[in-house]
Amino acid sequence: MKDHLLSAADLSRDDAILVLDTSAEMAQLTEGRSVKKLPTLRGRAVVNLFFEDSTRTRTSFELAAKRLSADVVNFSAKGSSVSKGESLKDTALTLEAMGADCVVVRHWASGAPHRLAYSGWIRSSVVNAGDGTHEHPTQAILDAYTLRKHLGSVDGRRITIVGDVLHSRVARSNVLLLATLGAEVTLVAPPTLLPVGVEHWPCQTSYDLDSVLVKADAVMMLRVQRERMNAAFFPSAREYSRRYGLDARRFALLPDDAVVLHPGPMNRGMEITAEVADSDRSVIVEQVTNGVYVRMAVLYLLLAGGRE
Ligand code: ASP
Ligand code: CP
């Protein structure tokens, strides 16, 4: 792996398989054990630098770093000197001056992690924990890990990603990583919620969810990201759910062994009904568990260089 993890496109097929296999080892080393800690990153410091809200990503990076015995600092822009106007550069310099070895950054601006990694401001490894509407590579890795667990392999599998692709960094990172791993990805969304240039992405697109679901090995529902919408992208929530929501009728169209994913947080009743979200073929809670193993693997490979 390179020094940073900024995009799912940073991972070659071999890199992606290495991270997935290392995640499986992390799971094996910690699952079911009363003491889940490994000494691997003792003396190293990981800073979680969050300029945007998070539940899963921030806590799982924290837990992952702690399980590897690293010191962890959680920094959120709210309540920090960012509110006094301090820049990203000065914030990063300040944190590195305290000895950060790795900066895990979530930012509302697409490209902020790249700026941190390549501006020469800091020497630490940078991990993108979600930048604007751009990318969320560790989410894509945990999704691929979850798919691999349930489908055996991702290669040749048909994965359907549904909803607000336009605002979704999860969709972009997933399309890139799943294509690298050999999956056939289809994006389903209203035309207004597909990004310009999507025809150049390594996937297919459709507006007809029912016809795609019958052939899917897995379906990933995306959150409708109202906080990023400054206009009306669909007539009403009811209309959106009717055309693009996963309800019991649509769920029944899926092949029997297909699984349902959602990165969270969910809008229950909007893109997915509670009945489907809580069904035994939903792997949404398991995605969160797998996120800890994947983030352990990423921190280990970046900071210990896979040495031990
Ligand atoms: N939690 C994911 C993200 O931060 C997905 C979402 O918010 O809808 O990108
Ligand atoms: N899936 C995800 O990134 O969740 P959070 O926004 O809660 O971190």
Side-chain angles (χ1 to χ4, degrees):
M1 250 168 87
K2 300 180 182 165
D3 295 340
H4 310 290
L5 178 60
L6 304 175
S7 160
D10 290 344
L11 300 171
S12 65
R13 190 182 161 86
D14 285 351
D15 289 336
I17 289 171
L18 174 68
V19 186
L20 293 172
D21 289 347
T22 309
S23 307
E25 281 174 43
M26 293 299 175
Q28 227 176 20
L29 287 167
T30 49
E31 239 166 33
R33 306 230 170 160
S34 52
V35 180
K36 296 188 168 63
K37 247 183 156 72
L38 307 171
T40 323
L41 296 184
R42 200 157 41 201
R44 315 300 293 274
V46 175
V47 174
N48 280 328
L49 184 58
F50 276 61
F51 289 79
E52 231 190 33
D53 295 343
S54 169
T55 297
R56 282 146 283 266
T57 311
R58 192 177 54 71
T59 49
S60 62
F61 265 112
E62 179 177 357
L63 203 52
K66 285 182 170 165
R67 285 194 179 165
L68 294 171
S69 305
D71 296 320
V72 189
V73 176
N74 286 315
F75 172 98
S76 68
K78 275 181 209 148
S80 76
S81 286
V82 170
S83 57
K84 300 177 201 162
E86 188 157 88
S87 66
L88 176 63
K89 175 179 175 175
D90 288 328
T91 306
L93 285 176
T94 303
L95 294 167
E96 197 178 63
M98 293 186 221
D101 295 294
C102 179
V103 176
V104 177
V105 59
R106 170 168 289 192
H107 205 284
W108 43 264
S110 300
H114 298 69
R115 186 102 176 100
L116 264 191
Y118 295 120
S119 58
W121 299 337
I122 60 171
R123 289 179 310 275
S124 334
S125 289
V126 177
V127 180
N128 182 358
D131 62 326
T133 57
H134 184 224
E135 282 222 42
H136 193 351
T138 59
Q139 177 72 42
I141 304 170
L142 77 87
D143 292 335
Y145 180 90
T146 307
L147 288 168
R148 203 164 78 145
K149 252 185 102 176
H150 286 272
L151 306 179
S153 161
V154 175
D155 205 350
R157 296 305 199 138
R158 294 184 175 135
I159 316 296
T160 304
I161 302 179
V162 187
D164 184 0
V165 178
L166 181 66
H167 301 106
S168 177
R169 50 201 180 201
V170 174
R172 186 189 301 264
S173 288
N174 260 289
V175 167
L176 292 170
L177 185 65
L178 289 170
T180 301
L181 291 169
E184 283 177 36
V185 182
T186 304
L187 298 174
V188 184
T192 49
L193 288 176
L194 281 174
V196 174
V198 73
E199 61 279 9
H200 303 301
W201 293 21
C203 63
Q204 298 184 324
T205 54
S206 169
Y207 305 124
D208 179 13
L209 184 52
D210 287 9
S211 68
V212 178
L213 284 183
V214 293
K215 291 180 280 178
D217 292 304
V219 56
M220 182 184 301
M221 303 307 297
L222 300 172
R223 182 172 66 90
V224 174
Q225 301 199 20
R226 288 192 183 275
E227 78 278 19
R228 298 193 208 277
M229 292 185 182
N230 50 11
F233 287 87
F234 43 83
S236 68
R238 182 193 284 250
E239 173 69 7
Y240 181 88
S241 303
R242 199 177 62 75
R243 303 252 344 242
Y244 296 99
L246 190 60
D247 57 11
R249 181 191 68 77
R250 287 212 165 97
F251 183 65
L253 296 175
L254 283 166
D256 288 345
D257 47 2
V259 288
V260 176
L261 296 90
H262 191 303
M266 288 183 274
N267 294 308
R268 285 174 181 251
M270 178 95 181
E271 67 266 0
I272 189 166
T273 62
E275 193 183 358
V276 175
D278 298 331
S279 79
D280 57 2
R281 278 160 55 207
S282 154
V283 294
I284 297 169
V285 176
E286 192 195 317
Q287 284 172 267
V288 179
T289 306
N290 295 338
V292 179
Y293 305 137
V294 161
R295 286 162 181 141
M296 286 174 78
V298 166
L299 292 175
Y300 167 71
L301 291 169
L302 286 176
L303 293 180
R307 272 195 306 273
E308 286 162 54

